[in-house]
Amino acid sequence: MGLLEDKVVLVNGGSQGVGAGIVRAALREGATVAFTGRRVEVGEELAAETGAHFVPADLADPDQARDSVIRAVAEHGRVDCLVNAAGLTSRGSLLDTTPELFDAHVAINLRAPFFAMQAAVKHLVGREAPGTIVNIITTSAHGGQPFLAPYSASKAGLAGLTRNAAHAHRWDRIRINGLNIGWTDTEGEDAIQRAFHGAGDDWREKAARSQPMGKLGQVDEIADFVVFLLSERSGVVTGSVIDWDQTVFGGLD
């Protein structure tokens, strides 16, 4: 028996990167999986590869964020687990962030998870069924680099929302947790490093040498941890925002 046997899992932002890793891990552990993404070609390719159900959606639209749950329920009869993995990481400092960039970060990193969670919790409460939600956050929610001002602000809001919703719905047996992931080796990170930091083809090797464990965070490792949090093996844990990184926050040299 897999950890998610007979569960229906929706992964928002699941067409690439960490989200796609979670789609694969949930399928491996026996779940029926639906996932959303903006890029239809990418989503359809993953669906063809894995057999997961692709739901095209632009999560910046709160109606589409809510509808992602409704459409998954319509297709599979229910949703037991939700993962909010979509994230906008474009750069901006306190001094150069425009209102448009700030709003874009809030739309994807905070508002979309809020309304997807709203729909999922309403569905679970209506069924009188337990469920689990995992929000992919970031260690930058602790403060972050100067060039991640809108990203850090929006993800810090998601950390607060995770705790608030977990507290509000603990008696409904809906467990809600967050994962503060650190620097991770994804397609999106590769594009960001090249576009904003002038990185060359060897940036991963250089980055790995700068890390205590000699590597960046790996998608499959994060995905396995998310599956654990979604599953009953994580027990009663709710309202936790876990630092999944090799930086020890609060430690000083």
Side-chain angles (χ1 to χ4, degrees), residues 140-236:
S140 293
H142 291 295
Q145 296 94 324
F147 54 78
L148 291 177
Y151 176 66
S152 299
S154 58
K155 287 290 194 175
L158 182 55
L161 172 62
T162 298
R163 296 185 180 99
N164 179 274
H167 176 72
H169 294 285
R170 66 200 191 282
W171 288 103
D172 296 313
R173 296 180 298 151
I174 300 171
R175 299 190 298 110
I176 305 173
N177 294 290
L179 204 60
N180 278 340
I181 63 173
W183 200 1
T184 304
D185 185 359
T186 65
E187 308 100 304
E189 182 61 21
D190 180 62
I192 284 284
Q193 289 296 321
R194 294 174 189 274
F196 290 96
H197 302 288
D201 292 341
D202 61 346
W203 77 265
R204 286 183 174 87
E205 290 74 20
K206 290 180 178 178
R209 290 195 296 270
S210 73
Q211 300 301 298
M213 306 303 164
K215 65 177 182 177
L216 299 182
Q218 300 297 302
V219 166
D220 61 332
E221 297 167 348
I222 294 169
D224 286 347
F225 202 93
V226 171
V227 163
F228 172 75
L229 288 174
L230 292 174
S231 77
E232 294 178 3
R233 289 300 298 153
S234 54
V236 299

Side-chain angles (χ1 to χ4, degrees), residues 45-57:
E45 184 178 341
L46 182 63
E49 174 200 332
T50 63
H53 171 217
F54 174 51
V55 179

